[in-house]
Amino acid sequence: MKFILFLLIFQVGDKDFKKISYFFKTHQFDSSIFYLNPLLKKNSQDSFGYLYLGKSYLFKKDYKKAKEIFLVAKNKFLSFDSLHYYYFFSAFKEWEKDTIKLRNLKKEINNFVDSLLNNADEKSLSLAYRLIDFLDTNYPQKIVALILEKFPESKIGYQIIGNIFYDSLYPIWYNDTLKIEYLKRFLEKFKTTEWRFNAYQFLLTSLYNLKNYQDLFFFTEKMVKEMPKDVRALNFVASLYLRCETLFAKSLEYSFWALSSIKNFKKPKNLPEEQWQLIFPKLLPDIFFNIARSYYYQKKYLLAEKYIKKALKFEFDVDNDATKAPYYYYSGLIKEKTGRIKAAIKDYGKTLIIGDVNNFYPPKAESALKRIFGDTIEIVSYLRKIFKYRGPIFTDITKEVGLEKEKGGRVAFGDFDNDGYEDLLLNGSRLFKNDSGRRFLDKTKESGIYGNNNGGLFADLNNDGYLDIVCLSNEKKGEKVFKNNGDGTFTDMSEIAKIYDDYPSEGLGMGDIDNDGLLDIYIANYEIWEEHKYLPDFLYKNLGDFKFV
């Protein structure tokens, strides 16, 4: 990908590249078309200009125009794989309801793939794999087999093996016995893939869960022997030995081994950059953390404190799910063991304040504080005092307002009946009226809100003073739009709104992007993590009267 981006900058220039990237990030595809056309007139040999022009029309769903551009481009730049792929993709989308044209297109794709399989080099097989969705059923297995035979360590081989790995693992995710058997077979079958690191991780975790220490130690040493310079592996083994609560010296050995190796440790070839940026910032502080824990359990508290301080010097940004809560917790343990109780309390308090993504260390910190205070003091009130907390304080009234049995991950608030109290929309599927702040009443059936939805928002779409509702639907019939009738009921306007999004959606936002006084709709879609690519988002302009484009 870095190579491709470099070429694009070289061909269209850094300023132009930034412009085009901005247009794509903000889905201003008309602007990118307007910008790219004169550039291509100046330089007709700009292959990436054609690619982004075609993709602009593709994302606008002008499949015919996109196909025409990709047809010219693929014949002009024969070795540019993406142009071939997007030509077939555009043609497929244009003709997907025309049986005759679609049949002829499939024949064309099949013939093209036959020529790729005759070449059978890495580039040809990678393109063939990208075209699998358009092929007859006898092709995919043959393509996958050829890639795994000839190029298992290629980028596409990495992707295929990753799919095999997780597709086989998910059905037995909670069965450690079955996972162990599968992972042993995986390691035996795939001798060189980068996925071996992941396989060892899952295998060793399952062996630990079942307390099968004999096999655990055998495969741990096998992993280290196979990956002696992989800091991830050394760190993982050191941490695992700490969990065994007896092998502290062995953990220390691997931690210092990792420390001596980290300077020269590089990103594995096929690991996506996004994943590497999540992994790498944690490696060094976690090495210090493991060293500190090893010394702590050996009761070498001065050395333990030296290394926990090193770990605490690191900061994690908002794009990383790591926090310093584990480090503060062990810092508290060390200080408690050395008699510095007030300092330990502060560290335990910081553990509670910061938290961690798995909520593993905050309960431990809370237990430590209860151990110190017993029943003599209310812990949270005390922590507010020593940290000089002056912010808001909340009281749990879930049961009092009648919501203790309700479950949902996506919540929206809005006063849909204009009585001055914020009402509740749960998962875009259930509507609760706020009864003057006393309780919430389920008004889903009476209101006319329905559907298998995945979240929603309140918004006044027609400026009549009443909050309407937009919901992300799981039914593949378009998103749900409900008009507020002003009497506590809603009318389904989805057929008029025509907000169709074929992709799985994760987020919804509304705002007036063009200052015309009407709220527009933005839909954010998920990524396909197996293929390391993002699905396009969509922006719908409000034309009034619940019509969107």
mmCIF file of all heavy atoms in Angstrom, residues 12 44 294 324:
data_model
loop_
_atom_site.group_PDB
_atom_site.id
_atom_site.type_symbol
_atom_site.label_atom_id
_atom_site.label_comp_id
_atom_site.label_asym_id
_atom_site.label_seq_id
_atom_site.Cartn_x
_atom_site.Cartn_y
_atom_site.Cartn_z
ATOM 1 N N VAL A 12 0.305 12.439 -9.551
ATOM 2 C CA VAL A 12 -0.587 13.590 -9.521
ATOM 3 C C VAL A 12 -0.048 14.733 -8.650
ATOM 4 O O VAL A 12 -0.628 15.798 -8.632
ATOM 5 C CB VAL A 12 -1.995 13.187 -9.024
ATOM 6 C CG1 VAL A 12 -2.586 12.129 -9.911
ATOM 7 C CG2 VAL A 12 -1.961 12.721 -7.584
ATOM 8 N N SER A 44 -2.518 11.768 -19.575
ATOM 9 C CA SER A 44 -3.352 10.598 -19.888
ATOM 10 C C SER A 44 -2.703 9.295 -19.466
ATOM 11 O O SER A 44 -3.309 8.229 -19.585
ATOM 12 C CB SER A 44 -3.652 10.564 -21.387
ATOM 13 O OG SER A 44 -2.444 10.422 -22.126
ATOM 14 N N SER A 294 7.649 -9.999 37.914
ATOM 15 C CA SER A 294 8.538 -11.119 38.263
ATOM 16 C C SER A 294 9.310 -10.811 39.541
ATOM 17 O O SER A 294 9.423 -11.659 40.450
ATOM 18 C CB SER A 294 9.513 -11.389 37.120
ATOM 19 O OG SER A 294 8.831 -11.766 35.941
ATOM 20 N N LYS A 324 -2.871 2.478 31.590
ATOM 21 C CA LYS A 324 -1.840 2.254 32.616
ATOM 22 C C LYS A 324 -2.429 1.673 33.898
ATOM 23 O O LYS A 324 -1.729 1.579 34.914
ATOM 24 C CB LYS A 324 -1.103 3.567 32.907
ATOM 25 C CG LYS A 324 -0.309 4.075 31.710
ATOM 26 C CD LYS A 324 0.765 5.064 32.104
ATOM 27 C CE LYS A 324 0.197 6.397 32.512
ATOM 28 N NZ LYS A 324 1.262 7.404 32.737
#
